[in-house]
Amino acid sequence: MAVDKKLKYFELVEELRTSIKSGKIRPGEKIPSENQLSEQYGFSRQTVRKAIEILTEEGYVYAVHGRGTFVSELLLHSTKSNNIAVMTTYLSDYIFPRVIQGIDDVMTENGYSIILKRTNNSRSREAENLEELIKKDIDGLIIEPSKSQIYCRHMNLYQALDNYKIPYVFIQGSYSQMEEKPHILLDDCKGGYLVTKHLIQRGHRNIVGVFKADDSQGLLRHKGYVKALQEAGISYNPDFVIWFYTEDRKSHPVQKLSQMLKLRKEVPFDAVVAYNDQIAMELYDVIEAEGLRCPEDIALTGYDDSYLAASGKIPLTTVSHPQEQLGRMAAELLIRLMNGEALSYEETHVIIQPKLVVRESS
């Protein structure tokens, strides 16, 4: 009799396991209740309960109190799919197409397909995308975090990626709670230092800095700006620093600089270090509208060496950003992580050294 009962619940285990593996019951879906299974297969509830216990121990299902038993999302990630996801703040803007191109080149060479996601630098959008990607069949993720200077409140989603053994690589920035996670970053502190030191060496002493407050790049570029001033014996003037956020990036920097230009006789300045090339070119329009010239009246620098720096209204002094190289490096690192290679700290925490690119604006 004992043998017969054992055969019955193993028979049910195999039946349900086959339904799950075949996709008849998909990850996240609720399986029939004990009563329904008992009626469907003609087994006692005790036999059904034992079968579910076995499936739970094997990781095929999990119980939610008061709701029932569900197929585990872990099963989505139990086999290789050759799909990876790339999540950036923007897709069709500025430097991102070249970063994605670098990623795509490597992934295509290695037989992977890419799922693209964007957040518009929104934390809630990032969380929604992560929730969606966790339910998809992906082998890995490359992510540019949104507002990376702000404390991350959806750590549970990154923990889920860890639990499902889905490796991920941060690019462009990382959250303070996850600095130990694999990343490919530019040395933004050094970049901010290089452009500021360049202006000081050209004889400028009153240098305005324009920085983004809600991402780690902005804070680090500001740190480099401060370091260069201190090294030259120039006092830091907080009134010379314009901070902006994602939400007011299109208005606040230009409005604030316009106000400062109108008061320039009372508060003189002769150079501007901009957060990036995009902001720099918007500031150039403000400078030009005031009847001033670059670099004769005000020197101007950007950051990223984007297409704007070389082909804008004025050739822009900037900091190199090897966009495609960064994308390729992130893709190559992710592939090694997906292959389960044992990597050193230096191999998983890569800092790219920036270079100064001098043009007419300074």
Side-chain angles (χ1 to χ4, degrees):
M1 194 71 171
V3 173
D4 186 49
K5 282 186 178 180
K6 185 175 182 181
L7 289 174
K8 283 185 176 182
Y9 67 69
F10 272 122
E11 180 184 333
L12 183 55
V13 165
E14 187 59 35
E15 182 75 24
L16 291 173
R17 193 191 285 133
T18 299
S19 294
I20 292 169
K21 283 184 173 181
S22 68
K24 187 176 179 181
I25 312 176
R26 294 187 56 77
E29 288 185 3
K30 184 179 177 180
I31 69 170
S33 67
E34 288 184 6
N35 283 338
Q36 290 170 325
L37 289 171
S38 180
E39 184 177 339
Q40 181 179 347
Y41 291 99
F43 296 151
S44 69
R45 287 191 61 184
Q46 182 180 355
T47 298
V48 171
R49 191 174 296 118
K50 181 62 178 176
I52 292 174
E53 285 176 6
I54 293 172
L55 290 169
T56 302
E57 289 172 3
E58 292 179 346
Y60 283 92
V61 300
Y62 61 94
V64 178
H65 183 68
R67 292 182 57 200
T69 303
F70 296 81
V71 177
S72 174
E73 281 87 355
L74 277 169
L75 295 172
L76 278 172
H77 315 295
S78 60
T79 58
K80 191 175 177 66
S81 69
N82 282 0
N83 293 321
I84 69 108
V86 176
M87 192 191 311
T88 61
T89 51
Y90 305 98
L91 291 179
S92 59
D93 185 34
Y94 198 45
I95 65 172
F96 301 100
R98 290 177 62 187
V99 173
I100 294 168
Q101 182 63 55
I103 295 170
D104 185 56
D105 287 346
V106 173
M107 288 302 175
T108 300
E109 289 169 9
N110 287 273
Y112 286 90
S113 297
I114 295 177
I115 300 169
L116 288 177
K117 290 289 181 181
R118 63 182 171 87
T119 66
N120 289 336
N121 213 27
S122 162
R123 303 295 289 278
S124 60
R125 185 73 174 271
E126 178 178 309
E128 289 169 5
N129 285 346
L130 285 171
E131 287 178 349
E132 180 184 340
L133 289 171
I134 286 169
K135 295 177 181 178
K136 290 185 181 292
D137 201 2
I138 61 170
D139 296 336
L141 170 66
I142 295 172
I143 179 167
E144 179 199 18
S146 301
K147 298 184 179 178
S148 54
Q149 186 56 30
I150 301 174
Y151 188 85
C152 180
R153 298 189 181 279
H154 48 270
M155 285 290 294
N156 61 308
L157 297 174
Y158 287 102
Q159 184 62 54
L161 291 172
D162 293 333
N163 292 341
Y164 298 155
K165 294 182 171 53
I166 302 173
Y168 49 96
V169 175
F170 286 110
I171 58 172
Q172 306 275 83
S174 63
Y175 295 117
S176 59
Q177 309 105 293
M178 289 186 278
E179 290 178 350
E180 82 286 354
K181 295 297 183 181
H183 56 242
I184 308 285
L185 308 176
L186 196 64
D187 189 339
D188 285 299
C189 180
K190 185 174 181 181
Y193 171 83
L194 287 175
V195 286
T196 309
K197 183 178 179 179
H198 164 74
L199 292 172
I200 293 169
Q201 289 174 336
R202 292 295 175 95
H204 300 286
R205 305 286 294 178
N206 300 302
I207 304 171
V208 170
V210 183
F211 303 104
K212 195 163 184 281
D214 55 10
D215 68 35
S216 56
Q217 297 104 302
L219 273 288
L220 289 169
R221 291 170 195 181
H222 172 261
K223 184 178 179 180
Y225 162 84
V226 173
K227 180 182 177 182
L229 294 178
Q230 291 176 337
E231 191 178 90
I234 301 173
S235 298
Y236 177 80
N237 185 350
D239 292 335
F240 274 6
V241 177
I242 300 171
W243 291 104
F244 69 95
Y245 295 85
T246 297
E247 290 74 16
D248 63 10
R249 68 188 186 280
K250 295 184 181 298
S251 58
H252 184 68
V254 295
Q255 290 174 0
K256 183 64 176 176
L257 187 69
S258 180
Q259 293 170 5
M260 293 178 72
L261 286 169
K262 288 175 171 55
L263 298 172
R264 190 161 165 256
K265 289 184 179 179
E266 290 79 15
V267 186
F269 61 92
D270 52 16
V272 178
V273 170
Y275 167 74
N276 64 17
D277 298 340
Q278 200 167 39
I279 296 293
M281 296 313 298
E282 292 169 0
L283 298 179
Y284 175 76
D285 289 340
V286 175
I287 293 169
E288 192 177 46
E290 290 294 322
L292 300 171
R293 299 167 300 162
C294 287
E296 292 86 355
D297 299 311
I298 296 177
L300 177 65
T301 65
Y303 201 110
D304 288 330
D305 196 20
S306 68
Y307 69 94
L308 294 171
S311 60
K313 291 182 180 179
I314 184 171
L316 190 64
T317 293
T318 186
V319 173
S320 65
H321 185 305
Q323 296 121 10
E324 287 189 34
Q325 179 192 356
L326 183 145
R328 292 187 66 89
M329 291 172 70
E332 289 165 356
L333 174 56
L334 183 62
I335 287 172
R336 296 182 71 186
L337 292 170
M338 291 188 295
N339 289 339
E341 292 186 34
L343 303 177
S344 67
Y345 181 89
E346 290 73 19
E347 289 174 304
T348 57
H349 297 73
V350 180
I351 306 297
I352 300 172
Q353 294 303 306
K355 294 180 182 178
L356 182 69
V357 181
V358 179
R359 296 194 180 97
E360 294 174 19
S361 68
S362 63

